[in-house]
Amino acid sequence: MHFAMSGRWKLWGDWLLGGAVDKIGICFNAEKYFSGGWGDNVKEGFVTLPPCVPAVAWGEWRCPMCHGANHCVQRVSRRGTFRTRDCSGLHETVQIAHVEQWMPVVSKGLQIQTTCKQHGRLQLSVPLPECTPFVVCLPHTGDEWYEAREQIYAHRLCPRGMCICLLMGAFYGLRRPPHQPTHKFVTVSDFALLGRTNVEDTRSLLAWAQNQGFAKLCVAGISMGASMGAVAVQLFPGKVALAAGLIGCSAADAYVHGCMAHAVDWQALQQPGQDTKQALHAIMERCSNLTQLPPPQAPEAVVLVGALSDQYVPPASVRKVAQHFQCSPQQVHWVPGGHIVAITAAGDAFADAVSVALRALPDKMNF
């Protein structure tokens, strides 16, 4: 009986760690991407001017959990908004960037006032910026709010002394335009705007953190968030660490040639005399291919995490990014399973990648 049960669980384990879960996940998505067709003129490319420091309107600090005395509060958060730099082509709802900042609570540091549901107003301390690394975390596909990244990044990295800033993606959550019923962008034009906006909002947050005097800068993300975060690092005029999980070299790897192709409304994209897949491939290459841009300024501070059975972002795509970014084999970490299993179960690997990437930045601080 014992051996039969072990064999049964081994079969389940092999199935979960293979690519079958990725394929099944696509089958349950009735809503298709690009159901509205190509959209208006696709705005390709990114903002290449130096980033500007945004005027962030911050709300009050809050204690997400409090179990009694002040010393039980381990981290605090606040939410803020700022206007994205390049609003052309964006619906008014998308123009306002939303962000959630998490900071660890320390015994000595910068004093803040915070609100606790149990104890009302509390006076606590958070680390000084010059002693704290700053990490911007971008959303993966379908991650419209903050909770998933709170679990993966904030809860794991705040205890390590880091400031975690979670960016709400363009066309997601509170930034979803009225014509978009789900998280799936309606047109190819919206897809290009989403990438352009997320990259520029990330660069703006990095500029804000730099202006505040934070010790080190890092960008982290998974899947879509990893790829857009990489572009932000590639285009930022300074050394920024990058912790990229399940990163693809181009969106075409997933939407045209990978598992996501089953979720594309190819009929809506058909035009007379045009090879639809070739046309979408060409646009996505121009809008998202990381090899079209120079490598990050601190290639030694790049850590990539790939999934061995990924059906969305094939391992070959991760290796192509590593080659362009001049990463050593030690900078590419691998986890078992496919895309979906990795997102749900490999949180430690994604968080650890942030710590490793930050340690590689050239200064004397050790995080």
Side-chain angles (χ1 to χ4, degrees):
M1 182 70 175
H2 173 75
F3 290 104
M5 186 65 72
S6 296
R8 184 182 304 169
W9 281 112
K10 183 180 185 303
L11 289 174
W12 275 106
D14 291 344
W15 182 81
L16 284 171
L17 295 180
V21 178
D22 288 349
K23 295 177 182 178
I24 290 175
I26 287 292
C27 295
F28 284 105
N29 287 292
E31 190 76 25
K32 299 288 188 180
Y33 287 96
F34 315 131
S35 58
W38 297 96
D40 297 329
N41 293 330
V42 179
K43 191 169 186 178
E44 301 175 7
F46 302 97
V47 179
T48 56
L49 296 173
C52 295
V53 178
V56 184
W58 291 107
E60 63 180 6
W61 290 99
R62 294 184 177 274
C63 301
M65 292 182 293
C66 183
H67 303 290
N70 290 7
H71 66 271
C72 293
V73 181
Q74 298 179 342
R75 54 188 173 270
V76 291
S77 67
R78 63 178 179 174
R79 293 183 176 179
T81 59
F82 62 92
R83 182 169 290 276
T84 192
R85 179 180 183 180
D86 181 10
C87 295
S88 57
L90 294 177
H91 186 275
E92 184 178 352
T93 304
V94 190
Q95 294 178 13
I96 303 300
H98 295 257
V99 64
E100 183 176 83
Q101 181 187 16
W102 288 77
M103 287 285 278
V105 172
V106 295
S107 57
K108 293 182 180 180
L110 180 66
Q111 289 193 340
I112 61 169
Q113 291 285 336
T114 183
T115 300
C116 171
K117 290 183 179 179
Q118 290 176 297
H119 301 94
R121 303 289 291 180
L122 294 175
Q123 186 164 324
L124 302 171
S125 294
V126 296
L128 296 171
E130 57 266 28
C131 302
T132 312
F134 180 90
V135 186
V136 183
C137 302
L138 277 72
H140 55 265
T141 301
D143 180 16
E144 293 202 79
W145 303 97
Y146 301 118
E147 289 80 3
R149 282 170 291 152
E150 287 176 12
Q151 294 295 327
I152 293 173
Y153 294 111
H155 292 190
R156 288 176 167 90
L157 296 177
C158 275
R160 304 181 197 180
M162 300 181 195
C163 171
I164 306 300
C165 214
L166 311 177
L167 176 66
M168 182 174 288
F171 293 84
Y172 272 18
L174 298 173
R175 307 183 73 182
R176 190 197 292 177
H179 68 269
Q180 183 180 305
T182 71
H183 73 270
K184 296 180 178 178
F185 16 88
V186 177
T187 66
V188 176
S189 177
D190 286 349
F191 164 80
L193 285 172
L194 174 143
R196 182 183 177 91
T197 304
N198 283 352
V199 167
E200 187 55 22
D201 289 347
T202 301
R203 293 206 312 152
S204 295
L205 284 173
L206 291 173
W208 178 86
Q210 194 175 57
N211 186 63
Q212 295 292 310
F214 279 92
K216 293 183 177 184
L217 305 180
C218 178
V219 175
I222 302 168
S223 190
M224 177 183 74
S227 297
M228 294 182 182
V231 174
V233 172
Q234 289 173 271
L235 294 177
F236 193 76
K239 292 189 174 183
V240 180
L242 174 66
L246 315 181
I247 185 171
C249 186
S250 165
D253 293 340
Y255 285 96
V256 181
H257 310 294
C259 202
M260 291 289 283
H262 298 288
V264 172
D265 192 337
W266 294 106
Q267 186 174 357
L269 296 177
Q270 287 182 356
Q271 292 182 351
Q274 173 182 271
D275 184 321
T276 306
K277 286 195 172 184
Q278 189 177 46
L280 184 60
H281 173 92
I283 286 179
M284 287 193 163
E285 283 287 289
R286 293 194 295 269
C287 290
S288 64
N289 193 315
L290 303 182
T291 64
Q292 304 292 331
L293 299 170
Q297 291 193 26
E300 71 280 4
V302 173
V303 177
L304 310 181
V305 181
L308 292 171
S309 303
D310 201 328
Q311 301 297 303
Y312 290 77
V313 180
S317 190
V318 179
R319 295 188 182 99
K320 191 173 181 180
V321 175
Q323 182 179 14
H324 180 62
F325 284 2
Q326 304 167 14
C327 296
S328 69
Q330 292 72 31
Q331 291 174 257
V332 185
H333 303 172
W334 295 98
V335 296
H339 201 83
I340 295 175
V341 169
I343 290 176
T344 56
D348 286 339
F350 299 134
D352 290 345
V354 174
S355 295
V356 175
L358 281 167
R359 282 199 296 267
L361 279 180
D363 68 25
K364 297 180 180 180
M365 301 188 72
N366 185 24
F367 297 101

